[in-house]
Amino acid sequence: MKTIDELLSEGVAGKRVFVRADLNVPLDGTTITDDGRIRAVVPTVKALADAGARVIVASHLGRPKGAPDPVFSLAPAAARLGELLSADVAFAEDTVGTAAESTVAGLADGRVAVIENLRFNAGETSKDDTERAAFADKLAGLADIYVGDGFGAVHRKHASVFDLPKRLPHYAGYLIATEVGVLRKLTDDVKRPYVVALGGAKVSDKLAVIDQLLGKADRLLIGGGMAYTFLKAQGHEVGISLLQEDQVPTVKEYMERAEKNGVELVLPVDVLVASEFPDLKTKAPANPATVAADAIPADQEGLDIGPETRKLYASKLADAATVFWNGPMGVFEHPDYAEGTKAVAQALVDTDGFTVVGGGDSAAAVRTLGFDENAFGHISTGGGASLEYLEGKTLPGLAALED
């Protein structure tokens, strides 16, 4: 795929450049609680603006239902982008209507605008090719050149990700080029030992990537809510812990295959339990108990890995040459259940290997728990996209940029 460096060498002064970013940041009202994805696109936007381009930044935020919804407005993200660029950023209150057209028409060379949430138009996410194409045609009318830099959305076959690049000269931004380069290190040229730590709520979200990793990784560490399906597959009581009973047969088969392939599959040896889920708003003390992983009481719920498991997982990560981590080890949003996730993050910091934090909740946890982002080899902006790449899937947004 062509990169932004090639575009800059060709010259962009006076050109309208559409940058498909990922500004899908978490909001508390209108307050951004994690601006990592906005910061990630700044190098691309700044390079284009400094070269004299008229930059149109577009993104989705949340899941509005194909119509304007002020709860999902990109206005806070536009304001934050302006702060990070130390420049005024114009904001259009629609996507392809009169506001967007007039805002883009009014851009001077080297200036930046953000248009409103792409998902306010049903054509962005439509499964109907004709409807999606019609929206892409309107977006194409705003620009001369397309730069894809929203890695967190490249696994979506959406108008601005898949259809629009086909209508304009297209290039990969710095973020996408970096993300793809990192993922190739996890698939094509892996330094060993290769250790993968997987957490999060649902084992079904990770089955396909586990299937692939059973032939590639040396060690798999399992935590989070998904661990209880594995413990159930071993025949243990898991109480009222998160459980996907229908996935138990598949998990059993994966455990057998791991043993056959010589892949070390490591499960929790102890967990923190409580009789009810903690209050994440008040952060009221939860007073959890620690029990062995094979002795969870029938009326208790597992909410984090225990202290012995933290030590075990740290030891399994210590000699890794390559690490991929996706998914927290527990309910890290509550201080009583954050220690498991914190221990895994610290183990990545302590290892001398190449460490990748696979986006989503893992990236949020690293920032929430106060870790220096530079202590990791790479923090991805796209959890879902990273997983699908590792599964071996073709990602529509990358395929469109490679044409």
Side-chain angles (χ1 to χ4, degrees):
M1 66 179 71
K2 291 184 179 180
T3 68
I4 186 174
D5 284 332
E6 294 174 79
L7 171 60
L8 293 171
S9 70
E10 295 165 7
V12 292
K15 300 288 183 67
R16 300 171 302 164
V17 181
F18 187 104
V19 177
R20 202 331 180 162
D22 180 8
L23 309 181
N24 185 27
V25 291
L27 294 171
D28 182 1
T30 59
T31 301
I32 297 169
T33 58
D34 180 358
D35 68 353
R37 284 177 168 169
I38 303 176
R39 285 186 285 112
V41 79
V42 166
T44 289
V45 174
K46 188 176 188 308
L48 291 167
D50 287 349
R54 303 176 184 187
V55 187
I56 305 126
V57 180
S59 176
H60 70 286
L61 191 150
R63 299 192 179 199
K65 302 186 183 299
D69 184 338
V71 171
F72 299 110
S73 175
L74 277 174
R80 181 57 180 149
L81 179 61
E83 292 172 356
L84 293 167
L85 290 169
S86 299
D88 291 333
V89 169
F91 181 66
E93 295 181 347
D94 61 22
T95 54
V96 291
T98 55
E101 291 173 356
S102 62
T103 298
V104 172
L107 277 179
D109 292 2
R111 308 304 289 182
V112 179
V114 174
I115 62 174
E116 186 54 285
N117 193 334
L118 292 163
R119 292 186 182 177
F120 284 1
N121 190 303
E124 169 67 2
T125 59
S126 177
K127 293 183 179 179
D128 182 284
D129 291 347
T130 302
E131 184 178 11
R132 218 174 49 247
F135 183 49
D137 287 339
K138 292 179 181 178
L139 289 173
L142 296 174
D144 306 304
I145 298 165
Y146 178 93
V147 172
D149 214 31
F151 180 73
V154 293
H155 58 314
R156 307 294 188 191
K157 192 177 181 180
H158 291 171
S160 66
V161 175
F162 178 73
D163 301 272
L164 182 56
K166 298 175 182 295
R167 289 158 169 76
L168 296 170
H170 45 270
Y171 302 80
Y174 290 127
L175 175 61
I176 279 186
T178 298
E179 295 271 15
V180 171
V182 166
L183 288 169
R184 283 176 178 157
K185 289 184 179 180
L186 300 177
T187 53
D188 300 336
D189 185 24
V190 183
K191 293 183 179 179
R192 299 185 180 279
Y194 178 21
V195 184
V196 177
L198 296 176
K202 295 181 179 179
V203 69
S204 57
D205 293 342
K206 307 288 198 309
L207 284 178
V209 75
I210 293 172
D211 183 60
Q212 287 292 315
L213 290 169
L214 287 175
K216 295 177 180 177
D218 298 300
R219 232 172 267 150
L220 282 176
L221 315 182
I222 305 295
M226 62 185 287
Y228 302 102
T229 302
F230 279 83
L231 293 172
K232 184 70 172 181
Q234 287 186 321
H236 301 313
E237 169 67 59
V238 297
I240 57 173
S241 305
L242 189 62
L243 172 67
Q244 290 187 278
E245 189 85 47
D246 61 323
Q247 302 298 338
V248 169
T250 302
V251 167
K252 282 183 177 178
E253 191 270 324
Y254 283 1
M255 293 168 74
E256 291 169 0
R257 215 161 49 146
E259 185 174 5
K260 181 180 178 181
N261 291 353
V263 177
E264 187 179 3
L265 182 61
V266 189
L267 299 178
V269 294
D270 62 347
V271 297
L272 299 188
V273 298
S275 58
E276 59 184 15
F277 199 82
D279 189 323
L280 299 183
K281 288 188 176 180
T282 66
K283 304 289 197 298
N287 301 315
T290 301
V291 301
D294 60 358
I296 299 174
D299 62 346
Q300 300 284 298
E301 178 178 10
L303 296 166
D304 194 13
I305 57 174
E308 293 304 314
T309 304
R310 293 172 217 153
K311 294 176 188 175
L312 174 65
Y313 286 12
S315 71
K316 297 295 182 181
L317 288 160
D319 67 342
T322 305
V323 181
F324 176 72
W325 170 35
N326 181 279
M329 296 292 109
V331 187
F332 74 92
E333 300 90 342
H334 192 286
D336 287 352
Y337 301 104
E339 292 303 316
T341 301
K342 189 182 295 185
V344 168
Q346 187 61 54
L348 265 67
V349 170
D350 292 341
T351 184
D352 292 329
F354 178 62
T355 57
V356 179
V357 180
D361 286 341
S362 309
V366 163
R367 298 184 183 106
T368 299
L369 297 174
F371 285 90
D372 180 357
E373 294 182 40
N374 294 320
F376 303 90
H378 179 69
I379 299 178
S380 179
T381 57
S386 295
L387 287 175
E388 290 198 15
Y389 189 101
L390 294 179
E391 289 168 20
K393 290 184 177 180
T394 297
L395 306 188
L398 296 184
L401 292 175
E402 288 167 353
D403 286 346

